[in-house]
Amino acid sequence: MLVGAENTWLRIAHVALLAGVLTGCSEAAERDDSKASARPSATAETSGPGDTAAAAGGGTIGAAGSACELPVTFDLAESWKAEAVEAPVSQGPVSLACEIDAKPAGNIGFLRVWAGKSGDADTRAVLEAFVAAEDGVTKEKYRAFTSGGVSGVEVEYLYSSELLEETKKESAFAVTTADGPVVVHLGGLDTEEHEEMLPAYELARRTLRTA
């Protein structure tokens, strides 16, 4: 797999997309106001690192008939929009299967679902290979988690982008299913956007179910 070339293409495409979004914002204050009004409401429930407030639910993804049919199902945050990827790219042992866009909810970033082939049963090894295939990663912190009877591995790390000339936080978790491993990844334009989107990521992890 031409992982390096594919990742470079993906980064460039996303930067172009983000640039288009930012160009449409005439003033930073207007962007902040729109984010505040469109952001999903939080509840008193907290989950994950830093006691991140839980996101309001906006439907379920992964089941037959949903926008993305996956080996897992989980709840979407309110207003986030899912779309299946018809020509997926690969990162390590998994390929991009679904993109869940945060822009309708007022943020700039995606929750991406990556799926692999059956037979890759070592969840941590799959997640480590996924992270290792992303150039510019440092300070990885892995930990196991269990949610609703589903066990997996989660990682937080810093990603340094030469193209964007900045370092930002990213997160991902992985589980193994009968149909192969699944990695759910949260990036974001920058660390601030990433942290604002964490409730949606935590909602996905907390409600994750395997088929």
Side-chain angles (χ1 to χ4, degrees), residues 25-160:
C25 299
S26 59
E27 297 182 1
E30 292 177 347
R31 177 175 172 274
D32 290 342
D33 289 343
S34 65
K35 285 170 56 178
S37 61
R39 191 172 303 134
S41 59
T43 69
E45 184 180 359
T46 58
S47 175
D51 292 333
T52 303
T60 302
I61 196 71
S66 64
C68 300
E69 296 186 13
L70 305 165
V72 298
T73 64
F74 57 84
D75 290 352
L76 295 179
E78 186 177 4
S79 298
W80 286 54
K81 183 178 180 181
E83 183 176 357
V85 178
E86 296 181 359
V89 297
S90 297
Q91 183 165 320
V94 290
S95 297
L96 185 59
C98 184
E99 284 192 331
I100 306 168
D101 192 353
K103 286 195 295 298
N107 287 106
I108 301 174
F110 294 86
L111 192 63
R112 293 189 171 92
V113 185
W114 304 70
K117 298 179 180 179
S118 59
D120 293 324
D122 190 330
T123 306
R124 174 153 179 161
V126 168
L127 188 56
E128 288 179 343
F130 173 82
V131 173
E134 185 174 12
D135 294 335
V137 170
T138 58
K139 297 185 178 180
E140 306 95 315
K141 296 180 180 179
Y142 290 89
R143 58 181 167 272
F145 74 88
T146 301
S147 179
V150 178
S151 297
V153 180
E154 185 174 18
V155 63
E156 293 179 338
Y157 57 91
L158 296 180
Y159 169 73
S160 297

Side-chain angles (χ1 to χ4, degrees), residues 2 9-10 15 27 36 40 55 58-59 67 86 88 92-93 102 127 155 159 161 170 193 202 206 211:
L2 300 178
W9 171 86
L10 188 60
V15 169
E27 297 182 1
E86 296 181 359
L127 188 56
V155 63
Y159 169 73
S161 170
E170 297 194 359
E193 292 282 351
E202 295 293 347
R206 190 178 68 253

